[in-house]
Each structure stands twice: as structure tokens, then as C-alpha cells.
Amino acid sequence: MRRDQPLFKGLRSFLSYLETQGQLVRIREPVSVVHEITEIHRRVLQRNGPALLFESPIKADGAASGMPVLVNLFGTRERVAWGLGVDPEHLPVLGQALAELSEPEPPHSLADAMAKLPLARGIMAMRPKSIDTPPVHDIVWRDDSIDLTRLPVQVCWPGEPAPLVTWPMVVTRPPDDETDANVNVGVYRMQVLDRDRLILRWLAHRGGARHHHLWKARGLDMPVAIAIGADPAMMLTAALPLPETLSEFRFAGLLRGARLPLARCISVPLMVPAEAEIVIEGTVSPDETAPEGPFGDHTGYYNAVENFPVMRVSAITMRWKPTYFSTFTGRPPDEPSRIGEVFNELLVPLVRKRIPEIVDLWLPPEACSYRIAVASISKRYPGQARRVMLALWSMLPQLTYTKFLILVDPDIDVRNWSDVMWAIATRSDPSRDLVTLTDTPIDYLDFASPKPGLGGKVGIDATTKLPPETDREWGRVLDMDEAVVARVSELWQRLGLPSDFESTEKQQ
């Protein structure tokens, strides 16, 4: 797999690289983790600004923290691409490699086999390696020294009841399987209850919740490890919607182009990234829950208060002079939506591999990443748009929760709302071109749905209609003669009109 950037062993090497690129600002002024960091982060992110390292944060209890807080690490498309190991212009190549990995095809010739060798070598690098004396064990808190309030955990929005760990890499595994192959690493927010308890908010379809269900069925406590801050490939992998059969640890190794170093936890039977800044270890009981929230979410609203499992902390380990990694979630643009834009680019080759007639796919970040999708298709037969809609809704978890799905022709730019709205207005009719579903799985966090986790879906077929989809003569799209376009372009400099008006390309 192509790798354009140097191998970042951990968060620190990535920060050093960003500093050389002018993409990291150190803030020495004392700033509170209660709301102030969020507001600074929000303003900088909206301007595509740099990563921010707050060197003198003030904790929620008003005390100064000797632990810096890092935010906006992935606040631009460029930094997300770097974290994945490629330059931004090579994201499509990475997407193609991911599509091949998800559904590999046998080589058709010797040349084809040679072309696949880099991917094969990458797969060989996927198996993690164990480190006996990892940096993350430089400092160990156990027993009475365990105290989550010593960490500079953010309170992002007014009205939130407690500090919230916003980017924890939650490591879980099923019972009777301690291999890395079936480990799940997911990002689930965590409310700090007190010095040694956290609330884990994971939704039913997530890997961590699935593992907890298996442990709960046996009446056993589930071991959990929370890694905060690691190499960028690992952190981004934890947020990727990978197939359940693919371990995040192994996939991170593929992105790195090198085996991921892991360390054995000191109090639970789990492995964690050896270069992590902080690791919180503990267990989740089969039945202990606590009310979580309300907290600000990616929808731009506060979530309702609901009960979720409680984690009891058995140890906290960290590197010397660790950095606490954090973010906020809110109405886009926020950091997760910027990451989502890059993940959208990586998703397109996978979708096209499974549904070949798809030309392009866009998940508008303004629509909370996946609640609206626009896809263009190469249409060849009547009813094809409806078939593609049903295929997309059943394909991936993110698209399963898409409420509004718009299908257009290849001449429509799916990322241009002017194009999409024109297609809806001129190529669709509500009496024929709406596909509606009811009582289907929907995002549990979507309070607009009539029932928690269940709601409706609408598909809009805004493609050109083919008989027998219509009995009418279909209109011809207006288009200027190419010779006239070329002639006017030659004349332009002599017309006395501003050069800004010369281009005939549509404004985005």
C-alpha cells in the first residue's frame, strides 16, 4: 500500500512533523477545559487552522494541570490524509487499496500478480508485535493513586453534567479469545463519574456493545482498556467503519506499513498501543449502569439522558509527560465531520466495487455525515435507481442509517447542491419517484425519529427516466455548441470584460 509520509511511531512524532509543516500552534496562556478550549477550537477549525496544543490548561476543578491538552489534530483534510500515511491527492489510491482488501480478487495475469505484491506485503505487516517495556508504562497509578480527576478532561458545552472523554480508543474482546484478531477498537464517549468510574456510551450495533452482550450472557465482568493518544493511523483506524472480521490493530499496521507495537495491560487481559499517551484499564459489569448526559452531539443538539454501562477503573498508565488528546462534537463543521469527509473519499471505491454502476457518492457533512447521501449512477435500464437505493441502504452500517438518499445521473456533480437540486426539480416527480420505508433501523441518536432506533427512509430518483418509467418524451439538456465556446474564449480578452467571467464552469 502506498505510503507518502514518514512512519509516525506515536502521537509525539506526528506532532513534531506537524510543527515542521507549520501545522501546530502551542498555546502557553492558561485556558480552562470548561468551554474555553471548545470555543477556541471551534473558531480555529472553521478557518481550517492548525492543531492546538494547550500547554497550561485549567482543569474542571479550577486547578492548573501539568498535562497539556491537544485538540484539532484532524481538523483539516490534509492532516487526516497525513495521519493515514498519504498525501491528500493520493487518497483515491488508498481508497482503491481498501476496496481490494475488503473483497480481494485473484490475479488475472503475471503483471496483475506483481501489481498486487505491495498489498500482499502490507497484509504481512498487519500482525502486531508485543513490547515488554512499553513507554505507556512509564507511570502507573493503582489502588489509591487512581484518580480520573487528575486528567484535564474537557467539559465542552454549557449544561453538560460532567467532564467527557471525547476520543477514547476503547479496546474490547469476546470471552475466551485473547488473540488480537477479534479485538475491537472503537471510539465511544465516556462520562467521568468520579475518581475511578466512567460511563461508556456505546450503541447496540457497535463492536464494544456486541462484546459486552457476550460477557453479560455469561454473567461476567468484561475487561476494557481505554487508550488516549497514539500514532495517527491507529487513532483514525479506531474511527473507521471496518468490517467486524478485520481487527483495527491489524488494519493500523497495514496503514503504517509496519507491525503495530502493542503492550499487555497490567490489570486486565488486553493489549493496547505501546506508544499510547495514556491508558485507563478496568472492567464493565454485566448489569451496573448509570444515567449518561446530556452532552452535545454531532447533530448540533444535546442528547437525552439515558442509562449506559459503568466502567470501574483498576489501573491508569501513561508515558512520561503525557499529552491528553481531546476534541468536541457539535453541529458541523467539527473535527469528526472533517474526518468524515476524508472517509467519504475512501468509501467510494468500496461502494463502486460492490455496486459497479455507481459513479460517485457524497455524504454531505452538513447533514451530520451520513443522514443524507447523494449518488450518481450510470443508468442502463428502468428500475435501476430503485435497485441501487435498496442495495445502498443494506450495504454498510453508515448507509443503513441514511434517511434521505438521492440518485442522479453522471452529468450531475453530487457535491454541488445547485446541480442536485436542479436534478430533483427537473427529473423527478413525487407520484412516481419516491421510495419510502418505515420502521427501519435508524441512528439511535436521531431524536427526530418516531421511535428510538426505528424510523423512515426516503429515496428520490432524480435520474433520467427510461420507458416504461415514463410515457412522455424526455427533454434534451441545453448545451452550447463547442465551436462557439472556443470562439468566445478566443475573443474574451478583446471584449473588455473581467477575466473572472471568462470561465464557463459552474460555481461550486
Side-chain angles (χ1 to χ4, degrees):
M1 184 178 292
R2 178 173 191 144
R3 182 170 186 89
D4 305 314
Q5 298 300 318
L7 173 63
F8 303 116
K9 291 179 56 180
L11 180 60
R12 300 178 184 204
S13 62
F14 190 43
L15 292 183
S16 296
Y17 176 77
L18 293 184
E19 202 152 25
T20 66
Q21 302 298 310
Q23 290 289 313
L24 175 69
V25 170
R26 297 176 180 270
I27 298 176
R28 296 177 173 83
E29 182 75 15
V31 176
S32 176
V33 302
V34 180
H35 308 158
E36 290 182 355
I37 287 181
T38 297
E39 180 60 14
I40 295 170
H41 183 181
R42 189 177 66 86
R43 297 186 190 187
V44 172
L45 182 139
Q46 288 178 342
R47 297 295 186 92
N48 293 314
L52 305 174
L53 186 64
F54 294 89
E55 296 185 336
S56 304
I58 306 299
K59 296 188 300 175
D61 60 8
S65 173
M67 188 180 299
V69 174
L70 173 67
V71 302
N72 205 38
L73 184 66
F74 301 120
T76 65
R77 177 177 178 271
E78 183 178 45
R79 292 200 295 274
V80 177
W82 289 349
L84 292 169
V86 299
D87 291 331
E89 61 268 24
H90 295 147
L91 283 168
V93 179
L94 177 58
Q96 292 289 349
L98 300 186
E100 174 65 21
L101 181 65
S102 68
E103 293 184 2
E105 296 180 358
H108 303 294
S109 64
L110 178 60
D112 191 23
M114 296 300 293
K116 293 178 183 289
L117 273 178
L119 182 61
R121 294 193 187 101
I123 293 172
M124 293 297 293
M126 292 173 75
R127 184 169 56 87
K129 59 182 179 180
S130 179
I131 304 296
D132 293 331
T133 56
V136 74
H137 288 171
D138 288 345
I139 300 172
V140 176
W141 296 350
R142 298 200 70 167
D143 302 321
D144 292 342
S145 64
I146 294 173
D147 190 353
L148 293 167
T149 66
R150 293 167 67 181
L151 303 178
V153 186
Q154 274 189 269
V155 179
C156 296
W157 297 101
E160 294 182 335
L164 187 71
V165 182
T166 55
W167 199 305
M169 291 178 286
V170 181
V171 183
T172 61
R173 64 168 176 82
D176 303 328
D177 188 349
E178 295 190 26
T179 66
D180 70 275
N182 290 314
V183 162
N184 183 80
V185 186
V187 179
Y188 318 118
R189 74 187 193 196
M190 306 182 69
Q191 176 181 336
V192 177
L193 278 178
D194 49 44
R195 57 179 294 276
D196 64 352
R197 291 190 307 151
L198 298 138
I199 303 174
L200 269 165
R201 185 185 182 107
W202 47 37
L203 305 183
H205 66 281
R206 301 294 189 185
R210 178 173 56 84
H211 285 167
H212 186 232
H213 178 77
L214 296 174
W215 287 87
K216 183 176 181 178
R218 299 189 182 192
L220 299 175
D221 290 347
M222 181 176 73
V224 178
I226 313 298
I228 300 174
D231 72 271
M234 182 67 250
M235 290 191 288
L236 290 168
T237 295
L240 270 171
L242 297 179
E244 291 187 0
T245 55
L246 181 58
S247 162
E248 283 82 3
F249 286 155
R250 297 194 175 199
F251 186 76
L254 180 66
L255 286 179
R256 290 161 48 90
R259 297 169 65 187
L260 180 70
L262 298 180
R264 187 166 295 279
C265 291
I266 64 173
S267 66
V268 293
L270 290 169
M271 305 288 282
V272 292
E275 298 281 344
E277 294 291 311
I278 303 166
V279 169
I280 303 170
E281 304 175 9
T283 56
V284 176
S285 80
D287 46 27
E288 183 182 6
T289 63
E292 192 259 11
F295 288 104
D297 199 45
H298 68 284
T299 59
Y301 297 93
Y302 292 90
N303 289 134
V305 177
E306 298 179 74
N307 286 332
F308 282 91
V310 172
M311 174 184 176
R312 292 188 174 271
V313 179
S314 54
I316 300 176
T317 68
M318 62 189 74
R319 303 183 57 154
W320 291 114
K321 298 182 178 179
T323 295
Y324 181 79
F325 179 55
S326 188
T327 191
F328 76 91
T329 54
R331 179 177 172 177
D334 63 356
E335 202 167 350
S337 72
R338 291 285 167 79
I339 296 171
E341 291 180 50
V342 173
F343 286 0
N344 186 161
E345 295 184 57
L346 302 180
L347 178 67
V348 172
L350 174 60
V351 173
R352 294 181 65 181
K353 191 175 184 68
R354 297 185 181 180
I355 310 174
E357 57 261 57
I358 286 182
V359 176
D360 201 359
L361 175 74
W362 186 45
L363 303 172
E366 300 87 355
C368 305
S369 297
Y370 54 79
R371 299 190 183 200
I372 296 176
V374 186
S376 57
I377 66 169
S378 179
K379 187 174 177 179
R380 305 185 308 278
Y381 55 86
Q384 187 176 7
R386 292 190 175 221
R387 186 189 69 79
V388 171
M389 286 180 195
L390 297 176
L392 284 171
W393 273 324
S394 60
M395 183 179 166
L396 293 172
Q398 284 68 22
L399 298 175
T400 298
Y401 297 143
T402 298
K403 296 196 292 185
F404 301 97
L405 180 54
I406 305 167
L407 261 63
V408 296
D409 295 301
D411 65 321
I412 300 298
D413 181 357
V414 298
R415 291 167 176 77
N416 185 323
W417 276 119
S418 296
D419 257 16
V420 174
M421 292 299 102
W422 178 72
I424 291 175
T426 64
R427 299 182 184 180
S428 68
D429 181 86
S431 66
R432 175 194 58 210
D433 297 325
L434 296 185
V435 175
T436 59
L437 303 177
T438 59
D439 286 335
T440 65
I442 208 74
D443 186 353
Y444 185 83
L445 301 177
D446 186 355
F447 62 82
S449 62
K451 303 173 186 176
L454 285 178
K457 293 178 172 58
V458 172
I460 303 175
D461 177 3
T463 63
T464 297
K465 301 303 176 292
L466 304 174
E469 292 174 327
T470 182
D471 295 327
R472 300 188 63 185
E473 180 182 358
W474 201 256
R476 290 189 299 117
V477 175
L478 292 173
D479 196 15
M480 181 53 68
D481 183 80
E482 291 185 4
V484 174
V485 173
R487 170 63 178 159
V488 170
S489 296
E490 292 176 2
L491 285 172
W492 198 267
Q493 297 299 322
R494 302 195 296 272
L495 297 178
L497 294 170
S499 59
D500 290 348
F501 299 165
E502 182 176 357
S503 174
T504 59
E505 295 180 0
K506 289 172 285 190
Q507 298 298 312
Q508 300 294 320

